[in-house]
Amino acid sequence: MKYLEKSKVIAAIVFAVAAGAAGCVQTKSEVDVKPVDINLNITGRLEVVITDARKQEEQITGAAPKRTVRPEDIGLPASMAPTSRANGSGVNLADDGDVPRFLKVADTGASEAQLISQMAARHQQVAAMLNGQLVGESHTGYMVAKASLSGEQQAIVDAENADRRQLYALEAAKKNTSVDQVALGYYLARLEHVNKGAWVERFNKSTNAWEWFQWDR
């Protein structure tokens, strides 16, 4: 009788240990899966941003894109998910010196449609400066002077960048993502429209820095 009771106790202990082990395995499995889910969600949001940015760029330029540009075409990982500083891949999206002066301009509260309309109205002037290598398209999503600009040209750049800033904020809120990710999505969309010779940026993995080059595709 004592032998049976002892056997029951041992069996109960074995069962408890096995159940506990199973619980530990399940917990570990859940922890391992979470980073994958997060990465997939972030990548999905970037794809949505790029898709919508392409549609808006066609409205602004009045033309179909000349090419398809992916993150890896400018030196970034295919699943790149930027932040204002560094992400898991060690990519810095922006440095303090890259912040344009227009960021101090007050928002006008314009709607998305109004902003796109304003950008479309000045597109020919913007394109002329890009084609003349007077300005470049930065990976931060804004225009940057690459030569001396007249007062009128600088005013166009400031107005364009101010509208872009507001558009990025609206899109980020609508898509529940970061402004930096939206800006990068629009940058990729714009690269699909620029002409050869335009100043743009790409990420150099060996130096871990963004570099200017003249678009050659």
Side-chain angles (χ1 to χ4, degrees):
M1 189 70 179
K2 290 181 179 180
Y3 176 80
L4 290 175
E5 291 176 353
K6 186 176 181 180
S7 297
K8 289 179 180 179
V9 171
I10 293 173
I13 293 173
V14 170
F15 178 81
V17 171
C24 291
V25 171
Q26 180 63 30
T27 300
K28 185 177 188 301
S29 175
E30 291 174 355
V31 171
D32 288 344
V33 167
K34 284 181 180 178
V36 177
D37 290 342
I38 290 172
N39 288 337
L40 288 175
N41 289 337
I42 289 175
T43 302
R45 287 200 296 272
L46 181 56
E47 288 297 325
V48 170
V49 170
I50 295 173
T51 298
D52 287 353
R54 283 171 174 155
K55 294 176 182 176
Q56 292 181 359
E57 277 303 297
E58 287 195 42
Q59 290 180 264
I60 292 168
T61 64
K66 297 178 175 67
R67 62 190 71 85
T68 297
V69 179
R70 301 161 299 176
E72 53 266 40
D73 293 330
I74 55 170
L76 298 176
S79 58
M80 170 68 178
T83 60
S84 59
R85 282 291 159 233
N87 67 358
S89 62
V91 177
N92 290 322
L93 186 65
D95 298 320
D96 290 341
D98 291 335
V99 179
R101 60 179 183 148
F102 75 88
L103 289 179
K104 296 180 181 179
V105 176
D107 290 346
T108 62
S111 68
E112 181 179 294
Q114 289 174 314
L115 293 169
I116 292 173
S117 177
Q118 289 167 185
M119 293 163 72
R122 75 172 70 90
H123 171 67
Q124 292 302 323
Q125 295 166 298
V126 168
M129 286 191 285
L130 282 169
N131 293 335
Q133 289 83 50
L134 297 177
V135 297
E137 287 287 0
S138 169
H139 72 280
T140 56
Y142 301 109
M143 293 176 64
V144 175
K146 299 297 291 178
S148 295
L149 302 180
S150 66
E152 182 181 356
Q153 290 170 331
Q154 186 62 60
I156 292 170
V157 171
D158 290 345
E160 175 71 13
N161 283 339
D163 283 352
R164 290 184 183 187
R165 175 188 177 227
Q166 292 186 64
L167 182 61
Y168 298 159
L170 290 174
E171 288 294 304
K174 184 167 65 176
K175 292 179 170 61
N176 191 30
T177 189
S178 70
V179 171
D180 287 333
Q181 187 166 176
V182 169
L184 180 63
Y186 275 81
Y187 175 61
L188 290 167
R190 290 191 183 102
L191 292 183
E192 298 184 344
H193 288 267
V194 297
N195 291 325
K196 286 185 177 182
W199 283 109
V200 297
E201 287 187 301
R202 63 185 165 200
F203 187 74
N204 187 328
K205 297 175 185 176
S206 62
T207 61
N208 198 41
W210 289 92
E211 298 176 347
W212 287 100
F213 77 104
Q214 288 181 280
W215 190 253
D216 53 6
R217 290 180 55 186

